[in-house]
Amino acid sequence: MERFDLLTNELGAKIAKRIYNVAVLIEKSPLPKATQDLVMLRASQINGCGFCVDYHTKDAAVAGESATRLHLVAAWRESTVFTDAERAALALAEEGTRIADGHHGVSDETWAEVRKHYDDDQTVALVSLVAMINANNRLNVIVRKPGGSYQPGMFTDMAS
């Protein structure tokens, strides 16, 4: 089970608050919320972060995302329920997450697809989102924070 609760440690709570406030900034960006939810879910699936899969599945459902799309995120390439823009974002999420698996970052093809569908501010938000969800996944995987306990909105008091 969980090795260490970062939020009960004074320094851990301060760091978590700052990370959360970056997430709030990204959430308020012009990058569509549905795209944000799909990207966070896909990166969390790849990284095996049970807590984040739980978190982002529940938040997406509360925001109105369909169960079909949530279930198909893991197989998005073999699915018909995602737009071309969402596919570009999911490809960026995968390539930006799997760097250690032999990828050399994001391919030129994926980058071109992202730039075709997203303006500069949306691209900044998307790149930052991929980096931040990977950081969050790693924090939770390292301390073995299990999935299942997340309740939508439980971290809103961390916003400054």
Side-chain angles (χ1 to χ4, degrees), residues 63-76:
E65 189 59 74
S66 75
T68 298
R69 283 171 41 98
L70 290 174
H71 292 302
L72 289 173
V73 167
W76 65 269

Side-chain angles (χ1 to χ4, degrees), residues 82-94:
F82 303 105
T83 67
D84 288 343
E86 289 168 339
R87 289 175 176 283
L90 288 164
L92 183 86
E94 286 192 0

Side-chain angles (χ1 to χ4, degrees), residues 102-119:
H103 285 257
H104 300 286
V106 174
S107 69
D108 291 339
E109 178 182 286
T110 295
W111 187 255
E113 281 298 305
V114 165
R115 295 304 290 157
K116 184 166 102 177
H117 296 285
Y118 299 103
D119 67 21

Side-chain angles (χ1 to χ4, degrees), residues 31-70:
L31 184 65
K33 180 68 170 96
T35 301
Q36 293 180 40
D37 290 334
L38 297 172
V39 163
M40 290 186 289
L41 177 55
R42 184 64 190 127
S44 299
Q45 290 170 336
I46 292 167
N47 288 322
C49 183
F51 183 79
C52 291
V53 168
D54 183 36
Y55 185 143
H56 300 298
T57 300
K58 288 175 180 173
D59 273 3
V62 166
E65 189 59 74
S66 75
T68 298
R69 283 171 41 98
L70 290 174

Side-chain angles (χ1 to χ4, degrees), residues 7 11 22 24 35 38 46 53 57 67 70 85 89 92 113 123-124 133 148 150 152 155 160:
L7 297 178
L11 178 59
V22 171
V24 168
T35 301
L38 297 172
I46 292 167
V53 168
T57 300
L70 290 174
L92 183 86
E113 281 298 305
T123 300
V124 167
I133 191 57
Y150 177 74
F155 296 126
S160 55

